[in-house]
């Protein structure tokens, strides 16, 4: 998926171009942390990357901002709230916005704990427009349903995805070699489509096939389809359509999952074409990769492609037309009710997006008939890619954004103290608060704890080593720490308050849980304090 390429590209670029010499990764566990550090050092050997594991999320307060390669979500805002709303900024980036999961996550932010010092980076003006349509709809619902009148939104800056312009530019140096390896003859006009081959979720190939067949009446045309399909049935569908709609075009299907194959396709092509017609596309990485490789482009004037390609300068933007608002309500309802799958939903929606076949054919004809124009447009696109889409530029834009978020976070009145806010997540309360009605006896720090008579250290350790004791289930404790607490309780009988005072360097909550734990294992007794008459 494009989001996987984009995420890998961003992290690789951040490792190389960030002004931060020692990047910090936020990971699920130490093994992933080691992988993160190794990845960063493979690009910047002199750096000293480190990581924060999710169990120690409070350490993000010293970093100040958490970036994830997806939109921020409600859970992240509540996780931060447990440490204080100004503890760090949250920053994410949008990819596909048409899925139910994506739309639900975005609208849920408005009733969560999102803050003005958070941001969802929009990869295009088109994707920002989608979010700016979703937010007011949800605000209107909350206003009518709950009487809400104050809403907080994250920032929605537009920063495109990036490309390694130097690497792409080097593709052209192997042009003759690549064309020879693919048996391309002098005078062949080579058009490249690169990416996921999906007629229902990416780009229907029909307009491209029809336009190339017209071109083949006057030129020798070769089409590279360098990509991958989800299954053999889709691959067969493409082959059937190509044979039917553009039989005069030499068609070469390449496996786009192989790096060397992709490199050869970029090098051998004259023109890149992607006639996206799908609502799931919000940016489109391949057109800017093509521009960076010095290719002129023929793309639809749709979605994020609008921000990338200047019509008549870098290539040609083909007009598109879609059904008007209101025409798709039935589609939305069927998808919402799970009558139609997501694939069916976006596939049906794509059928109502028309792509100009005549304009596509005219664009191909101009480029095939005028090699100088084709080269000029390729050079224009390469210059634009370096100026606007190179990863060096994108990483700087992100760092500027994070500085702006920090200024917003640190301005205004003082934030509530972390202790005051700790545990505040309405849907994730302390289980001992939520289920306080379950136990039959009240807890008090005045209760007496004592070692059970006749049990020694060996027996304590043996019981703690049993799997049913669940010692391994709690990462903050060990058999050794529980044994130490058992010793601290002693045989004389102390109040829980006394034990907490003597164990002040440890978490009070964890100590209380551990005392109850030892009691359940028959190693301590907890009794009500007998008041003197």
């Amino acid at each position: 998926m494009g989001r996987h390429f984009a995420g890998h590209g961003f992290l690789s670029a951040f490792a190389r171009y960030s002004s931060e010499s020692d990047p910090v990764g936020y990971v699920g566990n130490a093994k992933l942390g080691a992988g993160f550090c190794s990845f960063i050092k493979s690009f910047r050997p002199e750096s000293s990357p480190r990581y924060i594991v999710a169990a120690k999320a409070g350490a993000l307060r010293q970093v100040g901002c958490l970036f994830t390669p997806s939109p921020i979500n409600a859970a992240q805002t509540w996780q931060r709230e447990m440490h204080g709303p100004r503890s760090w900024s949250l920053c994410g980036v949008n990819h596909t916005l048409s899925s139910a999961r994506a739309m639900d996550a975005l609208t849920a932010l408005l009733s969560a704990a999102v803050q003005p010092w958070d941001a969802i980076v929009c990869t295009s003006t088109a994707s920002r427009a989608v979010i700016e349509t979703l937010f007011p709809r949800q605000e209107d619902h909350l206003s009518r349903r709950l009487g809400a009148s104050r809403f907080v939104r994250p920032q929605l800056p537009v920063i495109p995805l990036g490309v390694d312009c130097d690497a792409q530019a080097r593709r052209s140096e192997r042009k003759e070699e690549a064309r020879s390896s693919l048996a391309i003859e002098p005078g062949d006009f080579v058009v490249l489509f690169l990416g996921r081959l999906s007629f229902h979720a990416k780009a229907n190939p029909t307009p491209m096939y029809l336009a190339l067949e017209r071109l083949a009446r006057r030129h020798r045309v070769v089409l590279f389809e360098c990509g991958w399909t989800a299954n053999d049935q889709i691959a067969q569908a493409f082959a059937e359509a190509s044979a039917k709609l553009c039989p005069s075009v030499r068609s070469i299907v390449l496996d786009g999952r192989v790096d060397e194959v992709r490199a050869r396709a970029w090098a051998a092509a004259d023109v890149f074409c992607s006639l996206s017609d799908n609502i799931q596309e919000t940016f489109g990485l391949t057109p800017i990769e093509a521009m960076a490789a010095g290719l002129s482009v023929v793309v639809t004037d749709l979605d994020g492609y609008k921000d990338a390609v200047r019509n008549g300068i870098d290539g040609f933007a083909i007009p598109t037309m879609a059904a008007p608002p209101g025409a798709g309500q039935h589609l939305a309802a069927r998808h919402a009710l799970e009558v139609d799958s997501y694939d069916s939903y976006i596939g049906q929606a794509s059928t109502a997006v028309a792509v100009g076949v005549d304009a596509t054919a005219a664009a191909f004809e101009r480029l095939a008939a005028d090699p100088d124009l084709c080269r000029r447009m390729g050079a224009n696109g390469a210059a634009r890619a370096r100026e606007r889409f190179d990863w060096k530029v994108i990483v700087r834009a992100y760092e500027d954004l994070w500085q702006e978020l920090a200024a917003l976070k640190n301005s205004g009145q003082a934030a509530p103290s972390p202790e005051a806010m700790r545990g505040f997540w309405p849907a994730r309360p302390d289980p001992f608060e939520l289920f306080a009605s379950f136990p039959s006896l009240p807890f008090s720090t005045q209760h007496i704890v004592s070692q059970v008579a006749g049990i020694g250290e060996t027996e304590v350790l043996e019981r703690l080593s049993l799997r049913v004791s669940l010692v391994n289930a709690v990462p903050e404790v060990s058999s050794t720490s529980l044994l130490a607490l058992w010793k601290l309780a002693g045989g004389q009988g102390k109040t829980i308050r006394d034990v907490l005072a003597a164990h002040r360097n440890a978490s009070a909550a964890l100590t209380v849980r551990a005392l109850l734990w030892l009691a359940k294992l028959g190693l301590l007794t907890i009794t009500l304090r007998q008041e003197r008459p």
Side-chain angles (χ1 to χ4, degrees):
M1 297 293 188
R3 65 180 182 271
H4 301 135
F5 281 101
H8 182 272
F10 178 87
L11 188 57
S12 303
F14 186 79
R16 286 178 289 171
Y17 306 126
S18 171
S19 61
E20 174 57 56
S21 58
D22 301 320
V24 182
Y26 182 64
V27 296
N29 54 55
K31 182 178 180 180
L32 294 174
F36 167 80
C37 293
S38 176
F39 184 88
I40 296 296
K41 288 182 75 66
S42 70
F43 292 95
R44 191 183 291 187
E46 75 283 1
S47 67
S48 299
R50 60 187 177 89
Y51 60 87
I52 296 169
V53 295
K56 304 290 185 180
L60 288 170
R61 190 182 295 110
Q62 281 69 55
V63 180
C65 183
L66 172 64
F67 170 77
T68 50
S70 57
I72 58 177
N73 58 58
Q76 289 176 318
T77 72
W78 292 122
Q79 288 162 357
R80 175 188 56 196
E81 200 78 1
M82 300 175 78
H83 301 275
R86 293 181 189 265
S87 295
W88 57 83
S89 293
L90 294 167
C91 181
V93 58
N94 83 262
H95 291 293
T96 296
L97 296 173
S98 53
S99 70
R101 181 178 179 182
M103 290 186 283
D104 288 346
L106 285 166
T107 53
L109 284 174
L110 299 178
S111 53
V114 72
Q115 300 293 350
W117 44 88
D118 299 330
I120 300 174
V121 173
C122 303
T123 54
S124 64
T125 53
S127 63
R128 181 168 66 182
V130 171
I131 298 175
E132 289 178 335
T133 299
L134 283 173
F135 278 172
R137 288 172 59 89
Q138 182 70 356
E139 289 168 350
D140 180 61
H141 163 72
L142 293 172
S143 178
R144 287 183 287 105
R145 179 74 172 176
L146 303 175
S149 58
R150 179 178 178 272
F151 301 100
V152 177
R153 295 185 184 183
Q155 305 297 314
L156 298 174
V158 176
I159 303 176
L161 298 179
V163 65
D164 187 338
C165 288
D166 289 337
Q168 285 297 97
R170 288 193 292 269
R171 310 290 192 203
S172 61
E173 298 172 2
R174 301 177 53 194
K175 194 174 190 69
E176 294 305 320
E177 174 191 341
R179 289 173 78 94
S180 175
S181 70
L182 293 165
I184 303 302
E185 300 292 336
D188 285 353
F189 183 71
V190 181
V191 176
L192 166 67
F193 172 88
L194 189 146
R196 189 155 48 102
L197 293 163
S198 174
F199 52 83
H200 76 281
K202 191 70 174 177
N204 192 300
T206 299
M208 180 177 69
Y209 288 166
L210 292 172
L212 289 176
E213 180 63 18
R214 293 188 196 179
L215 184 67
R217 298 170 188 168
R218 291 171 296 278
H219 304 272
R220 289 202 312 273
V221 181
V222 179
L223 171 63
F224 292 161
E225 289 179 296
C226 182
W228 51 93
T229 59
N231 53 55
D232 291 340
Q233 289 77 18
I234 293 176
Q236 183 62 33
F238 270 87
E240 291 174 353
S242 174
K244 171 67 176 176
L245 301 175
C246 55
S248 305
V249 175
R250 181 187 170 199
S251 177
I252 300 176
V253 179
L254 301 170
D255 189 346
R257 294 167 295 185
V258 180
D259 290 344
E260 177 57 31
V261 171
R262 289 200 309 274
R264 192 159 58 243
W266 284 124
D270 296 304
V271 172
F272 173 82
C273 179
S274 179
L275 302 182
S276 173
D277 59 1
N278 210 278
I279 60 174
Q280 65 83 36
E281 185 72 85
T282 55
F283 177 72
L285 187 59
T286 51
I288 63 170
E289 289 182 320
M291 291 161 63
L295 298 180
S296 54
V297 296
V298 176
V299 298
T300 37
D301 194 19
L302 189 80
D303 52 62
Y305 287 10
K306 292 179 178 180
D307 290 356
V309 179
R310 298 169 296 180
N311 186 43
I313 300 175
D314 312 309
F316 295 100
I318 306 303
T320 57
M321 182 179 295
Q329 188 58 48
H330 181 61
L331 293 180
R334 286 178 61 87
H335 180 44
L337 295 171
E338 299 184 350
V339 176
D340 292 333
S341 68
Y342 175 63
D343 274 0
S344 176
Y345 166 62
I346 60 175
Q348 291 180 69
S350 74
T351 64
V353 178
V355 177
V357 176
D358 290 344
T360 305
F364 283 143
E365 178 60 37
R366 287 193 61 185
L367 292 168
D370 190 346
D372 287 339
L373 174 65
C374 192
R375 283 190 289 270
R376 285 199 305 274
M377 286 186 163
N380 292 340
R384 177 171 170 79
R386 284 192 178 277
E387 177 184 345
R388 185 169 182 186
F389 301 113
D390 189 82
W391 273 123
K392 299 183 187 73
V393 177
I394 302 304
V395 169
R396 283 198 297 272
Y398 269 92
E399 292 188 326
D400 289 344
L401 168 64
W402 296 335
Q403 290 294 327
E404 293 169 11
L405 297 180
L408 286 170
K409 177 169 62 72
N410 297 328
S411 65
Q413 63 183 18
S417 69
E419 285 296 330
M421 298 303 300
R422 185 161 295 152
F424 183 74
W425 185 348
R428 302 291 191 279
D430 177 344
F432 304 116
E433 174 190 349
L434 184 63
F435 301 103
S437 63
F438 278 31
S440 59
L441 297 175
F443 173 83
S444 170
T445 57
Q446 294 302 309
H447 289 345
I448 304 295
V449 291
S450 304
Q451 294 176 354
V452 173
I455 292 180
E457 290 186 24
T458 300
E459 176 65 16
V460 172
L461 289 172
E462 287 178 354
R463 289 193 195 181
L464 292 176
S465 69
L466 296 173
R467 282 185 293 178
V468 295
S469 296
L470 292 175
V471 173
N472 292 334
V474 182
E476 297 94 340
V477 302
S478 64
S479 295
T480 302
S481 63
L482 289 171
L483 175 64
L485 187 60
W486 176 81
K487 290 180 178 179
L488 182 62
Q492 303 299 318
K494 298 178 182 176
T495 66
I496 292 177
R497 177 178 294 174
D498 293 337
V499 174
L500 291 173
H503 208 228
R504 63 172 59 92
N505 292 331
S507 161
L510 189 60
T511 300
V512 167
R513 286 166 50 197
L515 290 171
L516 292 165
W517 195 351
L518 291 167
K520 179 162 66 175
L521 296 177
L523 301 172
L524 292 179
T525 60
I526 300 179
T527 57
L528 294 176
R529 182 172 186 172
Q530 299 297 317
E531 300 292 343
R532 294 179 180 178

